[in-house]
Amino acid sequence: MIWLLLLIVLIVLAGGWWGWPLAAALFGSRAIHDKTSALGKITELMRAHDISPAEVAAVYRDPTLISTAAPKRSSGEIARTLFIYLGAIFILAGIGTYIGMFWNRMGSVMRIVVTLGVAYALLVVLVSALHEKKFPRLVLPLTLATAFMLTSGWFVFIHEVFPRGDDWRLAALAVFGTMAIHQGLLFRQYALSVLAFTALCFVYAFLSVGLDLLDVPAGFSAILLGASLWLVASGLEKSPQRSLAEFAYLIALCWLNAGLFDRVAIAAAADWAALLTGASVMSAAYGLHKDGRQLRLAGLGYLIGSALAYSGLFDLLRQTPVELLYFAVTAAMLYACVRLQSRALLLTTVLAMLGFIGYFTAEHFVDSLGWPISLVLMGVAFIGVGTLAMRIKRQM
């Protein structure tokens, strides 16, 4: 059963960019079934969309202020947008096909022109679109395409100009540094979330390669980068680019705790690393939960952190004189689940308790009829005590 907990962690991590919001929504840290939970969710939505209490009050007094009818787009506008998308796709496909077919026949100058030259042509188009504000839907794909082409073009440029270079880290450092300046200047001028995203990607790619060039151990690099990205995410929460904060928190937590796991595993053992890393993830999730910030991420943190902590604790206590302490810890965590109203923590706690009971039965009570009967009787007794406590509370 302990391996089942690890499988859950792997499934959640493998979800990547698209899978984790679904898991976080499914195992939300706070169910909306009372006034307190509803107020917390309302507060989170107001912060996420920059809604002031005055605006809420105005809409509450006059609901007609909300426009329910979405503006209709004319058929001409739809056709124009469609043809623009098709044209862009065919242009990029043609350039890519030409490069693939004739790359080996090109000289160094031609290779630079068809990569870096095309990239700067795309940059001119992007700046024009940002300045004119006529095609807002093209900004996102155009920004990503430009960033990709510029990065590739600069790598080609360095390879053609310095063909004898033997340290890829110096080339990567130069390219990522140049791209960070590129995207940072664009963001300073136009302040769009997609530009902030690409700028942060290149900044942290530059820092990661730089730390590797300085021979900083991977675990320490991950801790440093994760801690700094956590601070950046806190700043993003208070900025117009707050939509990036949740993803930045997720990457920061993964980075920080991966580094912590690596260093503890080297200094002690993998079971201690799992326990301490899980406790770290859970503490970060608890902080977000209590502040009413990023509740989906808090739920995901409870899920991953508790799974890691339970698996590490089980490996430490298994086949020792104090292995029953594991059951006591899970019972205490069950109380925490009720207090925090966290379904994610409840799921892993129940799985951990059932897994331990199965393990304990297989180790000490094989072919014993009295043990399962005792478990059933204890379960009935606990349910009875809980029901009686609820009745007493209602009468008080």
Side-chain angles (χ1 to χ4, degrees):
M1 190 61 71
I2 297 301
W3 289 107
L4 180 59
L5 298 178
L6 294 176
L7 180 61
I8 293 173
V9 174
L10 291 175
I11 291 173
V12 173
L13 291 178
W17 180 286
W18 299 108
W20 80 264
L22 179 61
L26 179 60
F27 304 113
S29 63
R30 188 181 297 176
I32 304 177
H33 52 70
D34 56 15
K35 186 175 181 179
T36 303
S37 300
L39 287 173
K41 186 62 177 178
I42 291 170
T43 302
E44 183 184 8
L45 290 172
M46 290 175 66
R47 288 174 176 170
H49 298 282
D50 196 19
I51 301 173
S52 66
E55 291 174 317
V56 175
V59 172
Y60 182 81
R61 289 191 298 267
D62 185 8
T64 59
L65 293 175
I66 301 177
S67 177
T68 56
K72 294 184 178 180
R73 300 175 65 189
S74 65
S75 58
E77 183 182 358
I78 295 175
R80 183 182 66 172
T81 304
L82 176 62
F83 282 117
I84 288 174
Y85 277 124
L86 287 173
I89 291 171
F90 278 110
I91 290 172
L92 291 176
I95 294 172
T97 303
Y98 177 80
I99 293 174
M101 291 175 61
F102 300 102
W103 183 260
N104 293 329
R105 304 179 191 177
M106 298 179 189
S108 296
V109 176
M110 191 61 184
R111 290 173 181 174
I112 293 172
V113 169
V114 298
T115 53
L116 193 59
V118 170
Y120 274 100
L122 284 175
L123 180 62
V124 172
V125 175
L126 173 62
V127 172
S128 300
L130 291 172
H131 185 72
E132 297 294 335
K133 299 180 181 179
K134 288 183 178 180
F135 307 103
R137 292 180 179 84
L138 282 178
V139 170
L140 176 60
L142 194 56
T143 300
L144 298 178
T146 303
F148 175 77
M149 288 296 296
L150 280 171
T151 305
S152 304
W154 277 114
F155 273 117
V156 170
F157 177 84
I158 291 175
H159 178 72
E160 297 298 333
V161 175
F162 304 101
R164 299 182 182 276
D166 56 355
D167 194 341
W168 66 268
R169 295 177 298 180
L170 292 175
L173 202 67
V175 172
F176 293 146
T178 302
M179 289 304 303
I181 295 172
H182 261 292
Q183 302 305 115
L185 292 175
L186 284 173
F187 173 72
R188 182 178 180 182
Q189 181 66 30
Y190 299 105
L192 295 179
S193 295
V194 64
L195 296 174
F197 173 77
T198 53
L200 285 173
C201 287
F202 287 117
V203 166
Y204 277 93
F206 176 84
L207 293 175
S208 180
V209 175
L211 290 172
D212 182 61
L213 196 61
L214 295 174
D215 294 326
V216 177
F220 286 130
S221 296
I223 292 173
L224 291 173
L225 295 173
S228 67
L229 186 57
W230 182 276
L231 297 177
V232 171
S234 300
L236 287 172
E237 257 188 326
K238 304 170 186 177
S239 72
Q241 285 72 42
R242 60 179 59 85
S243 59
L244 300 176
E246 192 172 36
F247 183 69
Y249 273 124
L250 175 67
I251 300 302
L253 278 173
C254 293
W255 232 339
L256 183 61
N257 289 287
L260 177 64
F261 185 95
D262 177 73
R263 300 317 301 174
V264 175
I266 292 174
D271 46 14
W272 277 106
L275 177 60
L276 294 177
T277 304
S280 173
V281 175
M282 290 176 66
S283 64
Y286 178 76
L288 293 174
H289 185 181
K290 296 304 291 183
D291 287 345
R293 299 154 50 201
Q294 310 296 343
L295 296 183
R296 295 195 310 167
L297 188 58
L300 188 62
Y302 282 138
L303 179 71
I304 297 176
S306 58
L308 282 172
Y310 285 142
S311 61
L313 183 63
F314 179 79
D315 287 338
L316 284 171
L317 298 180
R318 181 179 54 183
Q319 297 179 347
T320 65
V322 294
E323 64 181 3
L324 283 175
L325 181 61
Y326 184 86
F327 187 81
V329 171
T330 55
M333 289 302 298
L334 197 61
Y335 172 77
C337 297
V338 177
R339 295 289 298 175
L340 295 173
Q341 300 180 7
S342 172
R343 288 173 290 171
L345 190 56
L346 178 63
L347 172 67
T348 53
T349 301
V350 170
L351 290 176
M353 293 183 76
L354 291 176
F356 179 77
I357 291 172
Y359 157 79
F360 197 77
T361 301
E363 287 289 321
H364 303 286
F365 294 97
V366 179
D367 300 326
S368 175
L369 182 61
W371 176 244
I373 294 175
S374 300
L375 290 176
V376 172
L377 292 177
M378 283 190 292
V380 172
F382 278 123
I383 292 174
V385 171
T387 304
L388 181 61
M390 289 298 298
R391 289 181 179 176
I392 294 174
K393 182 179 179 181
R394 289 170 185 165
Q395 293 174 0
M396 292 178 62

